[in-house]
Amino acid sequence: MKKYAFNEITTWQYVFLIFASEIGIGVLPFPANVTRYAGTDSWISVILGWVLITAASLVIIQAMKRCPDGTLLDLLTNYWGKWAGGAGAIVVALYFAYFTYVVFSRTVIYVKAWLLPQTSELMLVALLMIPFWLIARSGVRVHGRFAGFVVLICCWMPLIFIDVLSDAEWLHLLPVLKEGWGPVLKGTPEMVFTFLGFEMTFVLYPFLQKKDRAALGVIAANTLALLVYLLLDLTSLVFYSPDEILQYNEPVISLLKVVEFPFIERFEIVFLAFYLLLISLTWIPFTYCSVYATSWMLGKPDHRPHLFVFLLLLVVSYIFYQPTFRDNDKMIGWMGKLGAGFAVVFPFLLWMLVAAADRYRKTSVH
């Protein structure tokens, strides 16, 4: 019997979990961040970032095929012993815990700045803890169903930006590669950070019902994220001037101020309310990955006690320290560097080490 038979997810749930985590925190500021390096050729950086993270995703799948009924931690244990699995559990727990804190604190900042400016940060944290606990305490199957529900009710959001194209100036995109490939390549690492979330495959893989579709699923998720990012990036480039876009921290939000409906006065508030559902699909699965690692390390099948401790520490941290927008930007900078190492460099290294270990075993047998 499969180890995770009672917690399996379908291919579409797998796709939606990865897709929603990829478009979580980075979707609002990324046009300005990438344009700062690549100029009006930033859309090429978006495509190159997609190529890089798709390659890393497929390498993760190839490595996980060596241990189809286990996570990354089981793979490390099977090949290099308990010490490797334990070390991997510590790294995975800290990595996803840090990402959860950064994304969650950004969520609190967004809610306070745009939706509830008169409410204290500690009160907002307490309010967010309720849905946080109700969803995160459940298994991956519930997370997958929640992801499908959120993507279904939020699928209209990218289409809203098509309305902005009526005021577009397409000449902003010309000439293509006006400064060569150098700026485009400099902007690609920024897109790698923006696409982060696909590394959850390390934990989600054994829960997938049809593992032969894992590669197809991760390509589909990455491509959906690519389409969203291309739409937002191209819309920002043709709406703003090349210099104007750099003046906004979150140009996507500023775009929404142009969208008008006769029955809604401030549409960006409605948009952000739905966006909170999408961004929750970043920090809730990341939290599960973190507490799953600590539970695995201690041999506890129930992750809920670890989740309770994690959420308690998160609330207590806000009593002593409430990060500002600038503080969170610095955290995101470190998050990008850590993510590039764990999500892009590590999969290739792991795949080579696993392939080398398999070859060594075959030669030693003969």
Side-chain angles (χ1 to χ4, degrees):
M1 184 177 179
K2 294 181 180 179
K3 184 178 180 181
Y4 302 105
F6 297 104
N7 217 2
E8 287 183 327
I9 56 176
T10 65
T11 304
W12 277 113
Q13 290 171 345
Y14 173 75
V15 170
F16 290 149
L17 275 171
I18 296 176
F19 164 66
S21 68
E22 288 180 336
I23 64 169
I25 188 175
V27 71
L28 298 184
F30 94 93
N33 294 340
V34 183
T35 303
R36 190 170 288 111
Y37 295 99
T40 54
D41 294 320
S42 59
W43 61 273
I44 305 178
S45 297
V46 174
I47 297 175
L48 291 180
W50 172 81
V51 171
L52 189 58
I53 63 101
T54 300
S57 301
L58 294 177
V59 169
I60 292 175
I61 298 298
Q62 291 302 315
M64 295 307 300
K65 284 182 179 179
R66 312 299 174 98
C67 186
D69 294 325
T71 62
L72 170 65
L73 310 180
D74 300 303
L75 177 68
L76 294 175
T77 302
N78 291 343
Y79 275 84
W80 295 285
K82 291 184 178 180
W83 67 271
I90 294 173
V91 171
V92 169
L94 292 177
Y95 174 84
F96 284 109
Y98 179 71
F99 269 42
T100 298
Y101 179 76
V102 174
V103 178
F104 181 78
S105 60
R106 191 71 162 200
T107 304
V108 174
I109 291 171
Y110 283 149
V111 174
K112 184 170 178 61
W114 293 95
L115 301 178
L116 299 171
Q118 302 301 319
T119 308
S120 67
E121 285 88 344
L122 194 58
M123 179 62 70
L124 292 176
V125 171
L127 292 174
L128 288 171
M129 281 298 111
I130 299 173
F132 197 159
W133 165 258
L134 292 176
I135 299 172
R137 69 176 181 176
S138 305
V140 175
R141 178 175 292 178
V142 173
H143 295 177
R145 290 172 179 171
F146 180 61
F149 169 75
V150 170
V151 172
L152 180 64
I153 66 172
C154 295
C155 62
W156 56 270
M157 295 172 68
L159 302 179
I160 292 297
F161 294 93
I162 298 177
D163 180 68
V164 181
L165 296 178
S166 59
D167 300 320
E169 183 55 67
W170 294 96
L171 291 177
H172 289 166
L173 300 177
L174 299 176
V176 178
L177 294 176
K178 58 178 66 66
E179 297 180 16
W181 284 97
V184 173
L185 296 177
K186 289 181 181 178
T188 302
E190 185 67 33
M191 281 312 304
V192 171
F193 157 71
T194 307
F195 274 108
L196 286 180
F198 67 92
E199 67 274 23
M200 284 198 303
T201 304
F202 276 130
V203 177
L204 293 180
Y205 184 78
F207 297 96
L208 185 60
Q209 283 181 356
K210 299 179 180 179
K211 295 179 176 58
D212 57 322
R213 297 184 181 178
L216 181 63
V218 80
I219 291 174
N222 294 342
T223 304
L224 286 174
L226 169 70
L227 295 176
V228 171
Y229 284 132
L230 276 179
L231 173 63
L232 296 180
D233 189 52
L234 289 172
T235 303
S236 299
L237 289 174
V238 299
F239 181 80
Y240 300 109
S241 69
D243 295 325
E244 184 185 7
I245 189 174
L246 301 178
Q247 300 175 9
Y248 297 94
N249 289 322
E250 273 123 10
V252 174
I253 296 296
S254 300
L255 280 174
L256 290 172
K257 295 182 179 180
V258 182
V259 180
E260 295 182 354
F261 293 99
F263 50 88
I264 299 178
E265 184 174 352
R266 294 190 63 189
F267 177 73
E268 69 271 16
I269 301 300
V270 178
F271 184 93
L272 281 167
F274 278 90
Y275 175 68
L276 290 180
L277 292 173
L278 282 174
I279 202 172
S280 70
L281 281 171
T282 299
W283 42 267
I284 291 179
F286 278 10
T287 301
Y288 177 82
C289 291
S290 179
V291 297
Y292 170 86
T294 57
S295 302
W296 182 93
M297 184 170 54
L298 299 178
K300 304 293 184 181
D302 188 1
H303 71 282
R304 286 175 295 182
H306 294 247
L307 175 65
F308 179 80
V309 173
F310 181 90
L311 298 186
L312 181 62
L313 292 174
L314 192 59
V315 174
V316 171
S317 70
Y318 263 84
I319 298 176
F320 300 99
Y321 173 64
Q322 298 173 359
T324 62
F325 192 91
R326 182 173 297 180
D327 295 335
N328 189 260
D329 271 346
K330 293 179 181 178
M331 295 177 190
I332 289 177
W334 283 102
M335 181 174 164
K337 295 176 182 177
L338 291 172
F342 182 78
V344 179
V345 178
F346 175 70
F348 288 94
L349 179 62
L350 176 66
W351 180 61
M352 289 187 292
L353 290 175
V354 169
D358 284 340
R359 181 172 298 180
Y360 174 77
R361 290 177 180 179
K362 289 180 181 179
T363 56
S364 63
V365 170
H366 293 294

